[in-house]
Amino acid sequence: MEQVEIHKETQNILIQMFSSEAQQERVESIAVEVMQTLPHATLIGASTAGEIIAGKIIERSTVLSISVFEKSSLRLLKSQGDDSYALGLSLAKKVFDSDTKCVITFLDGLAHNGQEYLQGLNAMNYKHAVIAGGMAADMLNFKRTYTICAEHVFSGGAVCVAISGEDLEVLQDYNLGWRAVGPTFTVTKSDGARVYEIDHRPVKELYEEVLGSFAVENMPASTIEFPLILQEEDMQIARSMLSIAKDGSILYGGNIQEGSVVRFGLGSRTLVNQYYPNQQLKESETLQACFLYSCIARKMFLGKELEKNFHILENSAPTSGFFTYGEFFFNENKTKLLNITTTLLFLREKGTEAAKNHTE
C-alpha cells in the first residue's frame, strides 16, 4: 500500500534541488540547512545525471532553483511504494483540485516504471493540469536514485508539488531533434519496456541487419544515435536502449506495446541541437521561469554543445533543471514518458515582474 504524506500548503517559495553529489549524506545536510533557513518554503528535488543552471551544464554538484510566487499557492506531497501505477494513483487522489494548473513531479529512476506511474498520476487529472518533471538519475551508475521532499531524501517513491492560481500561465514544449528514417517495423513481442521480437524476429537480428555487426557488438552504447521512434498522436516519441538481457531481449527507456509501429531514428549533432519554440511560446508575453528536464542521452551525445540551446533559453527566462532517466510531458490531455528529449516548462504570473538570481 502506498502511503501519501501531505505537507500542508506553504508560503509561495518553491525550491527545486538537483544533485549529483556522490555522498547522499551531503545532500541530506543541504536539504536540512535549506529548510532551517527557509522553513516555510516548498522543497522538492531529485538525484541527477548532471545539473543545468543559468544555461550551463555542471556535474558533481547541488543546484538550488528558487522561485517566488506572488499570486499562486503550492501544495507538496510525497509517497513511497512498490507498484508504479498505484504510487501515481495514490498521489493523484491528493494532488489535484479544481484550481491546480501545474504539477511538477520527480520519481525514483530505477525502482519504478515511469509510464505506469504517469498513467496513475493522470487518472484523476480531470481539469487537465500540466504535468512535468522526470525520473531521478545517478550519473549512469544505475545503483540508486532518490527524490527529495523538504528535509527528507528517500528512494523508491515520488514527490509532487501542485501549483495553483488563476493568474498562473503554464506553457510546455519539448525538443527531440532525432528524425525517423527508413522502413517501418512492428513490435511483435514485448512486455512493458522489454522487447523480444520485432517483425517476428529477435531484436538483435534486426539491429544487425540495419546497423551492422559492429553496432550489435557494442550495444547499448553504439545505439545512442539510433533510437526507436514511435508516432503518438501529433508527436514523435523516442525510446532509447538501456540494456540487453541474456535471452537477447532489450530493455528500453519506456514501454513499447506489442503492435507498435517503429522506425529507426537518426540524429546529427546539428539537427539534435536545434530548437524551434512552438507558436504559443512565440506569442506569450515575458516568461519568468524555464525548467529543463533533459535526458542523459542528449548530454552523452552532445556534451557541452547543448549549452548553445540552453543559453538561448536563458535569454528568455532564468533556466534550471537536470539530466534525467526519463522526461514527463503532458500532451493532448495525456501524460507521456519521453526519452532522449529535453522537456521545457515555462511559468509566468500575470501582473508580476520577474527577477533573476541563481544559487549553486
Side-chain angles (χ1 to χ4, degrees):
M1 179 181 292
E2 284 66 34
Q3 297 294 327
V4 179
E5 181 176 336
I6 304 174
H7 293 245
K8 62 184 178 180
E9 288 194 4
T10 60
Q11 289 188 357
N12 303 339
I13 302 173
L14 172 62
I15 304 174
Q16 294 183 71
M17 180 173 168
F18 309 120
S19 182
S20 55
E21 298 261 7
Q23 299 298 322
Q24 183 176 325
E25 294 78 9
R26 166 69 175 154
V27 177
E28 290 172 339
S29 67
I30 294 173
V32 169
E33 186 175 349
V34 169
M35 293 311 300
Q36 288 175 345
T37 305
L38 293 169
H40 300 296
T42 296
L43 172 63
I44 63 169
S47 59
T48 79
E51 297 78 51
I52 303 165
I53 189 73
K56 298 177 183 177
I57 298 171
I58 55 178
E59 293 180 351
R60 305 296 180 187
S61 63
T62 297
V63 161
L64 299 177
S65 170
I66 303 175
S67 304
V68 180
F69 295 87
E70 293 184 30
K71 301 181 177 183
S72 305
S73 62
L74 309 173
R75 190 167 64 260
L76 179 62
L77 304 94
K78 74 179 179 74
S79 184
Q80 289 175 274
D82 298 325
D83 185 296
S84 300
Y85 178 85
L87 179 70
L89 185 61
S90 68
L91 287 165
K93 293 175 181 177
K94 304 292 185 181
V95 76
F96 295 106
D97 61 29
S98 59
D99 298 321
T100 304
K101 287 280 190 73
C102 175
V103 172
I104 299 175
T105 180
F106 306 130
L107 175 69
D108 188 307
L110 298 177
H112 283 289
N113 182 305
Q115 194 160 331
E116 292 175 5
Y117 168 74
L118 289 175
Q119 288 171 350
L121 183 63
N122 197 47
M124 304 189 76
N125 184 13
Y126 302 123
K127 295 291 185 177
H128 309 307
V130 167
I131 296 175
M135 308 278 288
D138 67 343
M139 292 299 296
L140 294 173
N141 292 314
F142 298 107
K143 292 181 179 178
R144 184 171 183 267
T145 65
Y146 54 81
T147 52
I148 305 165
C149 178
E151 66 273 16
H152 307 289
V153 179
F154 61 101
S155 296
V159 60
C160 288
V161 60
I163 311 175
S164 305
E166 61 181 37
D167 291 307
L168 182 68
E169 182 179 14
V170 183
L171 298 172
Q172 226 182 357
D173 204 2
Y174 74 102
N175 184 25
L176 176 59
W178 270 263
R179 297 291 183 267
V181 297
T184 60
F185 304 95
T186 303
V187 176
T188 48
K189 185 179 180 182
S190 67
D191 180 14
R194 187 170 297 281
V195 177
Y196 296 86
E197 295 180 0
I198 297 179
D199 281 357
H200 301 287
R201 301 164 59 190
V203 184
K204 289 177 69 174
E205 201 175 286
L206 177 65
Y207 273 84
E208 183 168 12
E209 178 183 301
V210 175
L211 302 179
S213 57
F214 175 82
V216 173
E217 291 168 3
N218 293 277
M219 286 177 170
S222 60
T223 66
I224 188 171
E225 296 179 48
F226 309 103
L228 295 183
I229 304 288
L230 302 84
Q231 186 74 38
E232 290 192 8
E233 282 92 28
D234 62 343
M235 67 184 294
Q236 290 187 333
I237 293 178
R239 287 287 178 255
S240 54
M241 185 187 298
L242 297 182
S243 62
I244 305 162
K246 292 181 179 179
D247 63 5
S249 63
I250 292 178
L251 181 68
Y252 289 88
N255 291 1
I256 305 180
Q257 296 181 346
E258 288 185 6
S260 296
V261 176
V262 299
R263 298 166 75 186
F264 278 89
L266 179 65
S268 68
R269 301 182 77 84
T270 301
L271 189 65
V272 170
N273 208 27
Q274 291 177 341
Y275 169 62
Y276 302 100
N278 64 33
Q279 194 60 36
Q280 256 190 321
L281 288 169
K282 291 178 181 177
E283 294 173 355
S284 177
E285 298 179 32
T286 304
L287 300 166
Q288 295 173 326
C290 174
F291 304 125
L292 305 169
Y293 310 112
S294 186
C295 183
I296 177 57
R298 297 180 75 86
K299 189 175 74 159
M300 293 170 64
F301 186 51
L302 288 171
K304 286 285 188 176
E305 287 185 45
L306 274 172
E307 290 184 344
K308 295 178 182 177
N309 244 324
F310 294 165
H311 283 308
I312 293 172
L313 290 165
E314 177 70 17
N315 290 331
S316 300
T319 58
S320 60
F322 74 103
F323 288 98
T324 76
Y325 283 169
E327 308 78 59
F328 303 156
F329 192 74
F330 189 77
N331 185 51
E332 299 292 332
N333 300 330
K334 297 177 183 177
T335 49
K336 301 179 185 295
L337 175 68
L338 306 184
N339 298 147
I340 324 185
T341 304
T342 296
T343 57
L344 306 100
L345 176 67
F346 298 90
L347 299 181
R348 171 179 171 265
E349 281 190 312
K350 300 173 185 175
T352 65
E353 295 184 5
K356 183 186 293 189
N357 195 11
H358 296 287
T359 302
E360 177 185 333

